[in-house]
Amino acid sequence: DVKVTQSSRYLVKRTGEKVFLECVQDMDHENMFWYRQDPGLGLRLIYFSYDVKMKEKGDIPEGYSVSREKKERFSLILESASTNQTSMYLCASSFQQGTVFTDTQYFGPGTRLTVL
Amino acid sequence: LAKTTQPISMDSYEGQEVNITCSHNNIATNDYITWYQQFPSQGPRFIIQGYKTKVTNEVASLFIPADRKSSTLSLPRVSLSDTAVYYCLVVPGGRRALTFGSGTRLQVQP
């Protein structure tokens, strides 16, 4: 079974702090993703990466950055946390199958971040 | 990307068949229809994907009419454990990133 793990289930930080959210997958997937999920807004893509050191902005990248130094690990960084970044953060990974089908994404359990 | 419309919520009872319909009027030729399921406090998980006609797996069936402007996810004989949010996605083949809407919240009662 594919396993995607996230470093914390719950995290509480203060405004202005630098926050690191870590995600690790064990299936040698090329693609990794960071989403945030808020009530009534569904999941929104923040950033994704299709290879080591490669990244692309998603729909809401403002206030976030990412790092992918190793294939299995994808980090989301909040340079200066703000209260409007309080949310559930979900990491996902997928295997790049090609151009025919859409790739199945495998999600981690999520990190509920509260910024005070 | 094609816009999808699905019910905000649905209620059902154990043992019933549940059909969740998703509208996607501006679906493109190379788009695939994919459904994900999300239980409380968990990340979404893939259920089923199709292009046209009918697809069935151990979890659900997906019905897609010839014009592909809508699709129906069918869950046979639901149980309490099927209580979840179900997302309909329409995604171009080969696209890496997915766009999730708000989904349909299914509540199964005993």
Side-chain angles (χ1 to χ4, degrees), chain B residues 3-45:
Chain B
K3 179 177 163 55
T4 59
T5 303
Q6 54 183 121
I8 294 173
S9 64
M10 295 180 69
D11 291 308
S12 183
Y13 292 94
E14 282 191 293
Q16 288 187 335
E17 178 184 75
V18 171
N19 295 310
I20 306 174
T21 296
C22 179
S23 297
H24 28 79
N25 290 321
N26 60 339
I27 190 169
T29 303
N30 65 335
D31 285 342
Y32 285 79
I33 299 156
T34 307
W35 287 80
Y36 279 73
Q37 172 191 53
Q38 185 177 22
F39 297 115
S41 301
Q42 293 186 26
R45 71 166 187 148

mmCIF file of all heavy atoms in Angstrom, chain B residues 3-45:
data_model
loop_
_atom_site.group_PDB
_atom_site.id
_atom_site.type_symbol
_atom_site.label_atom_id
_atom_site.label_comp_id
_atom_site.label_asym_id
_atom_site.label_seq_id
_atom_site.Cartn_x
_atom_site.Cartn_y
_atom_site.Cartn_z
ATOM 1 N N LYS B 3 -16.157 22.976 -15.338
ATOM 2 C CA LYS B 3 -16.762 23.230 -14.038
ATOM 3 C C LYS B 3 -17.702 22.085 -13.702
ATOM 4 O O LYS B 3 -18.434 21.599 -14.574
ATOM 5 C CB LYS B 3 -17.530 24.544 -14.096
ATOM 6 C CG LYS B 3 -18.234 24.927 -12.810
ATOM 7 C CD LYS B 3 -18.891 26.285 -12.957
ATOM 8 C CE LYS B 3 -19.942 26.533 -11.890
ATOM 9 N NZ LYS B 3 -19.436 26.382 -10.538
ATOM 10 N N THR B 4 -17.704 21.660 -12.447
ATOM 11 C CA THR B 4 -18.591 20.581 -12.018
ATOM 12 C C THR B 4 -19.599 21.106 -11.014
ATOM 13 O O THR B 4 -19.286 22.000 -10.218
ATOM 14 C CB THR B 4 -17.811 19.423 -11.384
ATOM 15 O OG1 THR B 4 -17.087 19.919 -10.245
ATOM 16 C CG2 THR B 4 -16.814 18.818 -12.358
ATOM 17 N N THR B 5 -20.809 20.532 -11.061
ATOM 18 C CA THR B 5 -21.863 20.877 -10.109
ATOM 19 C C THR B 5 -22.417 19.588 -9.541
ATOM 20 O O THR B 5 -22.826 18.690 -10.297
ATOM 21 C CB THR B 5 -22.987 21.672 -10.798
ATOM 22 O OG1 THR B 5 -22.430 22.843 -11.399
ATOM 23 C CG2 THR B 5 -24.034 22.085 -9.773
ATOM 24 N N GLN B 6 -22.440 19.475 -8.216
ATOM 25 C CA GLN B 6 -22.983 18.301 -7.560
ATOM 26 C C GLN B 6 -23.732 18.749 -6.320
ATOM 27 O O GLN B 6 -23.514 19.851 -5.819
ATOM 28 C CB GLN B 6 -21.873 17.293 -7.224
ATOM 29 C CG GLN B 6 -20.714 17.852 -6.422
ATOM 30 C CD GLN B 6 -19.607 16.823 -6.179
ATOM 31 O OE1 GLN B 6 -18.473 17.035 -6.570
ATOM 32 N NE2 GLN B 6 -19.946 15.760 -5.501
ATOM 33 N N PRO B 7 -24.646 17.906 -5.819
ATOM 34 C CA PRO B 7 -25.429 18.309 -4.642
ATOM 35 C C PRO B 7 -24.513 18.583 -3.451
ATOM 36 O O PRO B 7 -23.468 17.954 -3.292
ATOM 37 C CB PRO B 7 -26.311 17.080 -4.369
ATOM 38 C CG PRO B 7 -26.250 16.250 -5.580
ATOM 39 C CD PRO B 7 -24.989 16.566 -6.291
ATOM 40 N N ILE B 8 -24.919 19.524 -2.632
ATOM 41 C CA ILE B 8 -24.129 19.830 -1.444
ATOM 42 C C ILE B 8 -24.200 18.689 -0.449
ATOM 43 O O ILE B 8 -23.201 18.316 0.166
ATOM 44 C CB ILE B 8 -24.627 21.131 -0.792
ATOM 45 C CG1 ILE B 8 -24.363 22.309 -1.713
ATOM 46 C CG2 ILE B 8 -23.961 21.348 0.561
ATOM 47 C CD1 ILE B 8 -24.961 23.610 -1.238
ATOM 48 N N SER B 9 -25.376 18.104 -0.303
ATOM 49 C CA SER B 9 -25.525 17.024 0.674
ATOM 50 C C SER B 9 -26.610 16.051 0.248
ATOM 51 O O SER B 9 -27.488 16.400 -0.549
ATOM 52 C CB SER B 9 -25.856 17.587 2.055
ATOM 53 O OG SER B 9 -27.103 18.246 2.032
ATOM 54 N N MET B 10 -26.532 14.836 0.771
ATOM 55 C CA MET B 10 -27.536 13.803 0.546
ATOM 56 C C MET B 10 -27.652 12.964 1.805
ATOM 57 O O MET B 10 -26.663 12.775 2.526
ATOM 58 C CB MET B 10 -27.147 12.896 -0.627
ATOM 59 C CG MET B 10 -27.100 13.579 -1.964
ATOM 60 S SD MET B 10 -26.641 12.450 -3.290
ATOM 61 C CE MET B 10 -28.084 11.399 -3.371
ATOM 62 N N ASP B 11 -28.864 12.458 2.035
ATOM 63 C CA ASP B 11 -29.099 11.548 3.156
ATOM 64 C C ASP B 11 -29.583 10.216 2.627
ATOM 65 O O ASP B 11 -30.293 10.158 1.617
ATOM 66 C CB ASP B 11 -30.144 12.122 4.114
ATOM 67 C CG ASP B 11 -29.627 13.342 4.852
ATOM 68 O OD1 ASP B 11 -28.534 13.243 5.433
ATOM 69 O OD2 ASP B 11 -30.299 14.389 4.823
ATOM 70 N N SER B 12 -29.193 9.154 3.303
ATOM 71 C CA SER B 12 -29.641 7.826 2.904
ATOM 72 C C SER B 12 -29.722 6.950 4.147
ATOM 73 O O SER B 12 -29.321 7.351 5.242
ATOM 74 C CB SER B 12 -28.671 7.218 1.890
ATOM 75 O OG SER B 12 -29.128 5.959 1.456
ATOM 76 N N TYR B 13 -30.245 5.736 3.949
ATOM 77 C CA TYR B 13 -30.311 4.760 5.020
ATOM 78 C C TYR B 13 -29.470 3.546 4.648
ATOM 79 O O TYR B 13 -29.259 3.258 3.463
ATOM 80 C CB TYR B 13 -31.757 4.351 5.298
ATOM 81 C CG TYR B 13 -32.586 5.468 5.888
ATOM 82 C CD1 TYR B 13 -33.358 6.291 5.078
ATOM 83 C CD2 TYR B 13 -32.569 5.705 7.257
ATOM 84 C CE1 TYR B 13 -34.104 7.317 5.619
ATOM 85 C CE2 TYR B 13 -33.315 6.738 7.812
ATOM 86 C CZ TYR B 13 -34.074 7.543 6.980
ATOM 87 O OH TYR B 13 -34.807 8.562 7.525
ATOM 88 N N GLU B 14 -29.027 2.859 5.655
ATOM 89 C CA GLU B 14 -28.245 1.646 5.421
ATOM 90 C C GLU B 14 -28.969 0.683 4.492
ATOM 91 O O GLU B 14 -30.193 0.505 4.609
ATOM 92 C CB GLU B 14 -27.966 0.937 6.743
ATOM 93 C CG GLU B 14 -26.862 1.551 7.565
ATOM 94 C CD GLU B 14 -26.449 0.652 8.724
ATOM 95 O OE1 GLU B 14 -27.272 0.460 9.645
ATOM 96 O OE2 GLU B 14 -25.319 0.147 8.698
ATOM 97 N N GLY B 15 -28.250 0.077 3.585
ATOM 98 C CA GLY B 15 -28.822 -0.913 2.688
ATOM 99 C C GLY B 15 -29.373 -0.351 1.396
ATOM 100 O O GLY B 15 -29.645 -1.103 0.455
ATOM 101 N N GLN B 16 -29.507 0.981 1.329
ATOM 102 C CA GLN B 16 -30.038 1.587 0.108
ATOM 103 C C GLN B 16 -28.930 1.804 -0.915
ATOM 104 O O GLN B 16 -27.738 1.856 -0.573
ATOM 105 C CB GLN B 16 -30.702 2.928 0.424
ATOM 106 C CG GLN B 16 -32.019 2.811 1.159
ATOM 107 C CD GLN B 16 -32.710 4.170 1.288
ATOM 108 O OE1 GLN B 16 -32.075 5.214 1.264
ATOM 109 N NE2 GLN B 16 -34.035 4.138 1.430
ATOM 110 N N GLU B 17 -29.331 1.938 -2.163
ATOM 111 C CA GLU B 17 -28.403 2.341 -3.212
ATOM 112 C C GLU B 17 -28.412 3.863 -3.280
ATOM 113 O O GLU B 17 -29.465 4.490 -3.231
ATOM 114 C CB GLU B 17 -28.833 1.762 -4.557
ATOM 115 C CG GLU B 17 -27.929 2.185 -5.710
ATOM 116 C CD GLU B 17 -28.424 1.672 -7.051
ATOM 117 O OE1 GLU B 17 -29.415 2.240 -7.560
ATOM 118 O OE2 GLU B 17 -27.828 0.732 -7.582
ATOM 119 N N VAL B 18 -27.232 4.439 -3.374
ATOM 120 C CA VAL B 18 -27.118 5.901 -3.437
ATOM 121 C C VAL B 18 -26.521 6.290 -4.787
ATOM 122 O O VAL B 18 -25.506 5.725 -5.213
ATOM 123 C CB VAL B 18 -26.235 6.436 -2.301
ATOM 124 C CG1 VAL B 18 -25.946 7.914 -2.498
ATOM 125 C CG2 VAL B 18 -26.910 6.211 -0.951
ATOM 126 N N ASN B 19 -27.167 7.243 -5.429
ATOM 127 C CA ASN B 19 -26.667 7.767 -6.700
ATOM 128 C C ASN B 19 -26.372 9.259 -6.553
ATOM 129 O O ASN B 19 -27.259 10.031 -6.200
ATOM 130 C CB ASN B 19 -27.695 7.554 -7.806
ATOM 131 C CG ASN B 19 -27.928 6.092 -8.087
ATOM 132 O OD1 ASN B 19 -26.990 5.329 -8.282
ATOM 133 N ND2 ASN B 19 -29.184 5.669 -8.088
ATOM 134 N N ILE B 20 -25.155 9.638 -6.820
ATOM 135 C CA ILE B 20 -24.756 11.049 -6.753
ATOM 136 C C ILE B 20 -24.434 11.493 -8.168
ATOM 137 O O ILE B 20 -23.545 10.943 -8.814
ATOM 138 C CB ILE B 20 -23.520 11.245 -5.850
ATOM 139 C CG1 ILE B 20 -23.767 10.645 -4.464
ATOM 140 C CG2 ILE B 20 -23.196 12.734 -5.740
ATOM 141 C CD1 ILE B 20 -22.535 10.679 -3.559
ATOM 142 N N THR B 21 -25.169 12.500 -8.630
ATOM 143 C CA THR B 21 -24.981 12.975 -9.993
ATOM 144 C C THR B 21 -24.155 14.243 -10.016
ATOM 145 O O THR B 21 -24.313 15.128 -9.180
ATOM 146 C CB THR B 21 -26.336 13.226 -10.658
ATOM 147 O OG1 THR B 21 -27.033 11.969 -10.755
ATOM 148 C CG2 THR B 21 -26.155 13.790 -12.064
ATOM 149 N N CYS B 22 -23.276 14.316 -10.986
ATOM 150 C CA CYS B 22 -22.394 15.464 -11.176
ATOM 151 C C CYS B 22 -22.624 15.998 -12.591
ATOM 152 O O CYS B 22 -22.638 15.229 -13.547
ATOM 153 C CB CYS B 22 -20.953 15.017 -10.988
ATOM 154 S SG CYS B 22 -19.702 16.302 -11.200
ATOM 155 N N SER B 23 -22.834 17.300 -12.700
ATOM 156 C CA SER B 23 -22.991 17.933 -14.005
ATOM 157 C C SER B 23 -21.671 18.579 -14.421
ATOM 158 O O SER B 23 -21.014 19.235 -13.608
ATOM 159 C CB SER B 23 -24.071 19.000 -13.947
ATOM 160 O OG SER B 23 -25.316 18.423 -13.633
ATOM 161 N N HIS B 24 -21.325 18.381 -15.690
ATOM 162 C CA HIS B 24 -20.092 18.987 -16.234
ATOM 163 C C HIS B 24 -20.346 19.303 -17.698
ATOM 164 O O HIS B 24 -19.853 18.611 -18.598
ATOM 165 C CB HIS B 24 -18.874 18.081 -16.028
ATOM 166 C CG HIS B 24 -19.164 16.623 -15.954
ATOM 167 N ND1 HIS B 24 -19.397 15.829 -17.056
ATOM 168 C CD2 HIS B 24 -19.271 15.803 -14.872
ATOM 169 C CE1 HIS B 24 -19.619 14.603 -16.679
ATOM 170 N NE2 HIS B 24 -19.555 14.542 -15.353
ATOM 171 N N ASN B 25 -21.129 20.352 -17.931
ATOM 172 C CA ASN B 25 -21.598 20.675 -19.275
ATOM 173 C C ASN B 25 -20.497 20.991 -20.268
ATOM 174 O O ASN B 25 -20.642 20.762 -21.465
ATOM 175 C CB ASN B 25 -22.590 21.845 -19.209
ATOM 176 C CG ASN B 25 -23.898 21.438 -18.562
ATOM 177 O OD1 ASN B 25 -24.389 20.343 -18.787
ATOM 178 N ND2 ASN B 25 -24.438 22.316 -17.742
ATOM 179 N N ASN B 26 -19.399 21.589 -19.791
ATOM 180 C CA ASN B 26 -18.343 21.980 -20.732
ATOM 181 C C ASN B 26 -17.151 21.028 -20.698
ATOM 182 O O ASN B 26 -16.008 21.449 -20.889
ATOM 183 C CB ASN B 26 -17.897 23.431 -20.470
ATOM 184 C CG ASN B 26 -17.363 23.616 -19.059
ATOM 185 O OD1 ASN B 26 -17.656 22.825 -18.174
ATOM 186 N ND2 ASN B 26 -16.587 24.657 -18.848
ATOM 187 N N ILE B 27 -17.442 19.759 -20.534
ATOM 188 C CA ILE B 27 -16.375 18.759 -20.522
ATOM 189 C C ILE B 27 -15.711 18.706 -21.893
ATOM 190 O O ILE B 27 -16.377 18.813 -22.926
ATOM 191 C CB ILE B 27 -16.937 17.381 -20.106
ATOM 192 C CG1 ILE B 27 -15.797 16.393 -19.856
ATOM 193 C CG2 ILE B 27 -17.933 16.863 -21.124
ATOM 194 C CD1 ILE B 27 -16.258 15.101 -19.183
ATOM 195 N N ALA B 28 -14.389 18.551 -21.895
ATOM 196 C CA ALA B 28 -13.639 18.517 -23.142
ATOM 197 C C ALA B 28 -13.355 17.076 -23.569
ATOM 198 O O ALA B 28 -13.478 16.141 -22.769
ATOM 199 C CB ALA B 28 -12.323 19.274 -22.979
ATOM 200 N N THR B 29 -12.956 16.930 -24.817
ATOM 201 C CA THR B 29 -12.762 15.599 -25.394
ATOM 202 C C THR B 29 -11.757 14.760 -24.610
ATOM 203 O O THR B 29 -11.934 13.556 -24.448
ATOM 204 C CB THR B 29 -12.282 15.726 -26.845
ATOM 205 O OG1 THR B 29 -13.240 16.493 -27.570
ATOM 206 C CG2 THR B 29 -12.132 14.361 -27.495
ATOM 207 N N ASN B 30 -10.704 15.374 -24.111
ATOM 208 C CA ASN B 30 -9.661 14.612 -23.429
ATOM 209 C C ASN B 30 -9.809 14.616 -21.905
ATOM 210 O O ASN B 30 -8.877 14.263 -21.189
ATOM 211 C CB ASN B 30 -8.268 15.119 -23.818
ATOM 212 C CG ASN B 30 -8.031 16.538 -23.333
ATOM 213 O OD1 ASN B 30 -8.982 17.289 -23.128
ATOM 214 N ND2 ASN B 30 -6.791 16.903 -23.108
ATOM 215 N N ASP B 31 -10.984 14.999 -21.419
ATOM 216 C CA ASP B 31 -11.214 15.005 -19.970
ATOM 217 C C ASP B 31 -11.670 13.639 -19.473
ATOM 218 O O ASP B 31 -12.458 12.960 -20.136
ATOM 219 C CB ASP B 31 -12.297 16.030 -19.601
ATOM 220 C CG ASP B 31 -11.816 17.464 -19.666
ATOM 221 O OD1 ASP B 31 -10.586 17.673 -19.658
ATOM 222 O OD2 ASP B 31 -12.660 18.370 -19.712
ATOM 223 N N TYR B 32 -11.216 13.302 -18.280
ATOM 224 C CA TYR B 32 -11.663 12.107 -17.593
ATOM 225 C C TYR B 32 -12.461 12.507 -16.354
ATOM 226 O O TYR B 32 -12.217 13.543 -15.757
ATOM 227 C CB TYR B 32 -10.466 11.245 -17.181
ATOM 228 C CG TYR B 32 -9.853 10.516 -18.337
ATOM 229 C CD1 TYR B 32 -9.004 11.164 -19.227
ATOM 230 C CD2 TYR B 32 -10.147 9.174 -18.569
ATOM 231 C CE1 TYR B 32 -8.472 10.514 -20.309
ATOM 232 C CE2 TYR B 32 -9.603 8.507 -19.643
ATOM 233 C CZ TYR B 32 -8.773 9.181 -20.516
ATOM 234 O OH TYR B 32 -8.244 8.529 -21.590
ATOM 235 N N ILE B 33 -13.407 11.650 -15.985
ATOM 236 C CA ILE B 33 -14.252 11.903 -14.826
ATOM 237 C C ILE B 33 -13.760 11.011 -13.688
ATOM 238 O O ILE B 33 -13.656 9.792 -13.845
ATOM 239 C CB ILE B 33 -15.718 11.607 -15.153
ATOM 240 C CG1 ILE B 33 -16.175 12.519 -16.293
ATOM 241 C CG2 ILE B 33 -16.596 11.796 -13.922
ATOM 242 C CD1 ILE B 33 -17.340 11.967 -17.081
ATOM 243 N N THR B 34 -13.448 11.642 -12.586
ATOM 244 C CA THR B 34 -12.842 10.931 -11.469
ATOM 245 C C THR B 34 -13.581 11.272 -10.186
ATOM 246 O O THR B 34 -13.991 12.416 -9.986
ATOM 247 C CB THR B 34 -11.361 11.352 -11.327
ATOM 248 O OG1 THR B 34 -10.699 11.193 -12.579
ATOM 249 C CG2 THR B 34 -10.647 10.526 -10.270
ATOM 250 N N TRP B 35 -13.766 10.298 -9.331
ATOM 251 C CA TRP B 35 -14.416 10.511 -8.044
ATOM 252 C C TRP B 35 -13.469 10.125 -6.906
ATOM 253 O O TRP B 35 -12.803 9.095 -6.955
ATOM 254 C CB TRP B 35 -15.699 9.684 -7.944
ATOM 255 C CG TRP B 35 -16.821 10.212 -8.783
ATOM 256 C CD1 TRP B 35 -16.998 10.037 -10.128
ATOM 257 C CD2 TRP B 35 -17.936 10.986 -8.336
ATOM 258 N NE1 TRP B 35 -18.143 10.668 -10.536
ATOM 259 C CE2 TRP B 35 -18.743 11.249 -9.475
ATOM 260 C CE3 TRP B 35 -18.342 11.478 -7.090
ATOM 261 C CZ2 TRP B 35 -19.924 11.990 -9.382
ATOM 262 C CZ3 TRP B 35 -19.522 12.208 -6.996
ATOM 263 C CH2 TRP B 35 -20.287 12.450 -8.149
ATOM 264 N N TYR B 36 -13.471 10.995 -5.893
ATOM 265 C CA TYR B 36 -12.726 10.737 -4.675
ATOM 266 C C TYR B 36 -13.695 10.743 -3.490
ATOM 267 O O TYR B 36 -14.743 11.379 -3.527
ATOM 268 C CB TYR B 36 -11.653 11.807 -4.439
ATOM 269 C CG TYR B 36 -10.378 11.618 -5.218
ATOM 270 C CD1 TYR B 36 -10.331 11.863 -6.588
ATOM 271 C CD2 TYR B 36 -9.211 11.198 -4.593
ATOM 272 C CE1 TYR B 36 -9.157 11.687 -7.304
ATOM 273 C CE2 TYR B 36 -8.029 11.024 -5.297
ATOM 274 C CZ TYR B 36 -8.014 11.267 -6.646
ATOM 275 O OH TYR B 36 -6.842 11.093 -7.354
ATOM 276 N N GLN B 37 -13.286 10.060 -2.432
ATOM 277 C CA GLN B 37 -14.080 9.956 -1.213
ATOM 278 C C GLN B 37 -13.225 10.457 -0.051
ATOM 279 O O GLN B 37 -12.022 10.157 0.009
ATOM 280 C CB GLN B 37 -14.434 8.485 -1.007
ATOM 281 C CG GLN B 37 -15.105 8.116 0.284
ATOM 282 C CD GLN B 37 -15.138 6.582 0.434
ATOM 283 O OE1 GLN B 37 -14.125 5.910 0.342
ATOM 284 N NE2 GLN B 37 -16.326 6.046 0.655
ATOM 285 N N GLN B 38 -13.832 11.216 0.845
ATOM 286 C CA GLN B 38 -13.076 11.696 1.998
ATOM 287 C C GLN B 38 -13.856 11.454 3.278
ATOM 288 O O GLN B 38 -14.945 12.001 3.463
ATOM 289 C CB GLN B 38 -12.742 13.179 1.868
ATOM 290 C CG GLN B 38 -11.848 13.688 2.989
ATOM 291 C CD GLN B 38 -11.451 15.141 2.831
ATOM 292 O OE1 GLN B 38 -12.114 15.905 2.139
ATOM 293 N NE2 GLN B 38 -10.355 15.537 3.463
ATOM 294 N N PHE B 39 -13.274 10.644 4.155
ATOM 295 C CA PHE B 39 -13.845 10.420 5.477
ATOM 296 C C PHE B 39 -13.396 11.535 6.406
ATOM 297 O O PHE B 39 -12.352 12.168 6.180
ATOM 298 C CB PHE B 39 -13.397 9.071 6.031
ATOM 299 C CG PHE B 39 -13.856 7.901 5.219
ATOM 300 C CD1 PHE B 39 -12.938 7.088 4.568
ATOM 301 C CD2 PHE B 39 -15.202 7.600 5.104
ATOM 302 C CE1 PHE B 39 -13.351 6.002 3.818
ATOM 303 C CE2 PHE B 39 -15.628 6.523 4.347
ATOM 304 C CZ PHE B 39 -14.706 5.726 3.695
ATOM 305 N N PRO B 40 -14.150 11.768 7.467
ATOM 306 C CA PRO B 40 -13.744 12.800 8.441
ATOM 307 C C PRO B 40 -12.335 12.556 8.966
ATOM 308 O O PRO B 40 -11.946 11.427 9.227
ATOM 309 C CB PRO B 40 -14.792 12.646 9.553
ATOM 310 C CG PRO B 40 -15.979 12.049 8.884
ATOM 311 C CD PRO B 40 -15.441 11.149 7.821
ATOM 312 N N SER B 41 -11.573 13.605 9.061
ATOM 313 C CA SER B 41 -10.204 13.582 9.597
ATOM 314 C C SER B 41 -9.239 12.745 8.769
ATOM 315 O O SER B 41 -8.223 12.264 9.290
ATOM 316 C CB SER B 41 -10.207 13.070 11.043
ATOM 317 O OG SER B 41 -11.015 13.881 11.853
ATOM 318 N N GLN B 42 -9.552 12.551 7.507
ATOM 319 C CA GLN B 42 -8.630 11.835 6.624
ATOM 320 C C GLN B 42 -8.482 12.598 5.318
ATOM 321 O O GLN B 42 -9.314 13.443 4.982
ATOM 322 C CB GLN B 42 -9.145 10.423 6.319
ATOM 323 C CG GLN B 42 -9.176 9.494 7.515
ATOM 324 C CD GLN B 42 -9.565 8.091 7.110
ATOM 325 O OE1 GLN B 42 -9.357 7.672 5.969
ATOM 326 N NE2 GLN B 42 -10.137 7.353 8.038
ATOM 327 N N GLY B 43 -7.434 12.270 4.555
ATOM 328 C CA GLY B 43 -7.310 12.821 3.222
ATOM 329 C C GLY B 43 -8.213 12.075 2.252
ATOM 330 O O GLY B 43 -8.648 10.955 2.528
ATOM 331 N N PRO B 44 -8.528 12.682 1.114
ATOM 332 C CA PRO B 44 -9.363 12.002 0.110
ATOM 333 C C PRO B 44 -8.691 10.743 -0.416
ATOM 334 O O PRO B 44 -7.456 10.618 -0.387
ATOM 335 C CB PRO B 44 -9.487 13.051 -1.005
ATOM 336 C CG PRO B 44 -9.189 14.359 -0.357
ATOM 337 C CD PRO B 44 -8.185 14.049 0.705
ATOM 338 N N ARG B 45 -9.510 9.829 -0.900
ATOM 339 C CA ARG B 45 -8.958 8.646 -1.555
ATOM 340 C C ARG B 45 -9.712 8.393 -2.844
ATOM 341 O O ARG B 45 -10.917 8.624 -2.940
ATOM 342 C CB ARG B 45 -8.999 7.413 -0.660
ATOM 343 C CG ARG B 45 -10.351 6.843 -0.410
ATOM 344 C CD ARG B 45 -10.259 5.463 0.199
ATOM 345 N NE ARG B 45 -11.587 4.864 0.269
ATOM 346 C CZ ARG B 45 -11.833 3.574 0.152
ATOM 347 N NH1 ARG B 45 -10.843 2.731 -0.049
ATOM 348 N NH2 ARG B 45 -13.055 3.117 0.253
#
